[in-house]
Amino acid sequence: MADAFLPPDIHIAHLFVVGVAVTAARAGPRPTALVGGLSVLALVAAGTERGTLTTESVLVELASLGTLGALLVVFTHLRQRRTAELCRVRSVSEAAQRVVLRPLPERAGPVSFALEYRSAEADTSIGGDLYAMARTDHATRLIVGDVRGKGLASISDTAIVLGAFHAAAHRDIALRELAAYVEDAVSWGLAEFSQGEEDAAERFVTAVMVDIPDDEPVVHVVSCGHPPPLLLRGAGVTTLRVREPAPPLGLGTVADSAYVPTTFPFHTADRLVLYTDGFTEARNAEGVFYPLAERVMAAANLASRPLVHRIAADVRQYAGGRLHDDMAMVIAQRDRAPIPP
């Protein structure tokens, strides 16, 4: 069409390659081959119309266009195959990650949950932060923890802690016995998969474990070197500091710790905010830490699920998008009054 309006000394047939290249960038091998074939036919038509089909210039253009089209078809075929392989690998990875870090149910017994989780590694749904829930006959138990390290490198330690918790949390044992069991299993697991004594000594997990009885308006808390939970009651926020904190998991056998729970009131409509230091250690441009308790109190009028989303968005904005650590936050709310046994 352009030849009909251009003088004979202007030849733009070499621009046919643009259509082939653009198609190859956005489509698969079949559309690329189709556009490449149409481009060659269009170049032949243009050369025939001008009477220059057999000239060296047009023959070189035809050979170049055909060769480039064939190479782009091969390229798009390889790219499509690699993309399919990547999708399969990603689906397997996501399935494996969901097995390790199981999603929380919306409700367990008289307690409902809201969750916000973010891995430091892009395109991964699990990292060094962890959470889990288990039901006993008369209580709901939670663990929120933070493995030393972040991202994919810490997944093995995350799996050890979650495996130990899931193996024992459903049993009808006291919270202190559960914490001692998890400590023993984590110490063994970290030592088993460590590379030398120095590596084993540097691997540990901070965690907080809570037990919410169905028949009492209380919550029992054991803290293993983890940031203290927040109790949200109405528009007020209270930091729940345990009386006898224990060392992080993996170091308890060294310190010969006794896991003594601290009991706090936990009434109907109260909310327990469990989190990792990815929230509290986020900094703004001036280097000031994120004031989590203040921001939670400011948004206390929101329901639990919008609240965790608001805090997650707020901390990203506070840090200017510079978040380099895993983050996990679980809000547990008692929805029903305790029922005496």
Side-chain angles (χ1 to χ4, degrees):
M1 291 175 64
D3 276 343
F5 302 97
L6 293 175
D9 58 332
I10 298 179
H11 191 53
I12 60 171
H14 55 278
L15 294 180
F16 281 127
V17 71
V18 175
V20 187
V22 171
T23 305
R26 302 296 299 272
R30 290 186 179 181
T32 302
L34 176 61
V35 174
L38 292 175
S39 298
V40 170
L41 291 178
L43 181 57
V44 171
T48 302
E49 189 270 336
R50 288 198 170 201
T52 58
L53 181 60
T54 58
T55 61
E56 292 183 358
S57 175
V58 175
L59 290 176
V60 169
E61 290 175 354
L62 279 171
S64 300
L65 183 59
T67 302
L68 179 62
L71 291 175
L72 288 176
V73 169
V74 174
F75 165 76
T76 53
H77 173 72
L78 294 176
R79 184 187 63 192
Q80 194 174 63
R81 188 170 66 181
R82 291 291 179 85
T83 302
E85 292 176 357
L86 179 61
C87 290
R88 289 194 297 270
V89 171
R90 180 171 294 176
S91 64
V92 172
S93 173
E94 291 176 351
Q97 292 176 41
R98 285 194 297 269
V99 170
V100 175
L101 197 62
R102 306 173 191 174
L104 288 177
E106 293 185 2
R107 181 181 302 279
V111 182
S112 61
F113 303 103
L115 168 70
E116 182 70 25
Y117 189 92
R118 175 190 176 275
S119 174
E121 297 283 350
D123 300 323
T124 60
S125 57
I126 184 173
D129 287 359
L130 57 97
Y131 61 86
M133 185 281 302
R135 278 286 298 170
T136 67
D137 292 337
H138 309 290
T140 302
R141 287 173 171 172
L142 279 168
I143 182 174
V144 171
D146 186 0
V147 173
R148 181 183 179 273
K150 60 185 178 181
L152 293 173
S154 57
I155 290 181
S156 62
D157 294 353
T158 300
I160 292 172
V161 179
L162 292 175
F165 179 81
H166 284 301
H170 66 281
R171 299 176 182 173
D172 192 14
I173 58 177
L175 185 60
R176 68 173 68 203
E177 296 177 18
L178 172 62
Y181 175 88
V182 173
E183 162 60 35
D184 183 64
V186 169
S187 295
W188 176 86
L190 295 182
E192 182 75 11
F193 295 100
S194 296
Q195 299 177 352
E197 295 182 0
E198 294 184 0
D199 182 41
E202 294 178 355
R203 298 175 69 179
F204 57 86
V205 182
T206 68
V208 59
M209 284 175 261
V210 303
D211 184 279
I212 305 173
D214 295 347
D215 54 2
E216 295 180 78
V218 296
V219 57
H220 308 294
V221 181
V222 169
S223 179
C224 302
H226 199 76
L230 302 176
L231 179 64
L232 183 57
R233 177 174 295 158
V237 174
T238 304
T239 301
L240 303 184
R241 302 189 183 277
V242 300
R243 290 190 299 269
E244 299 183 41
L249 299 174
L251 303 179
T253 54
V254 177
D256 192 21
S257 300
Y259 298 95
V260 180
T262 303
T263 301
F264 301 94
F266 191 56
H267 300 285
T268 305
D270 285 356
R271 289 184 281 183
L272 189 66
V273 182
L274 309 173
Y275 57 93
T276 59
D277 60 9
F279 285 92
T280 54
E281 294 185 358
R283 301 170 184 254
N284 60 10
E286 289 74 31
V288 180
F289 289 116
Y290 181 73
L292 178 62
E294 296 178 10
R295 300 302 175 91
V296 168
M297 185 167 56
N301 61 314
L302 297 176
S304 296
R305 195 173 300 277
L307 176 59
V308 292
H309 296 333
R310 168 73 67 84
I311 296 300
D314 188 50
V315 73
R316 282 193 291 268
Q317 182 179 3
Y318 183 85
R322 301 181 302 274
L323 297 175
H324 307 293
D325 197 4
D326 304 312
M327 296 193 309
M329 176 177 287
V330 177
I331 296 182
Q333 177 173 339
R334 185 188 286 277
D335 294 328
R336 298 197 303 266
I339 301 175

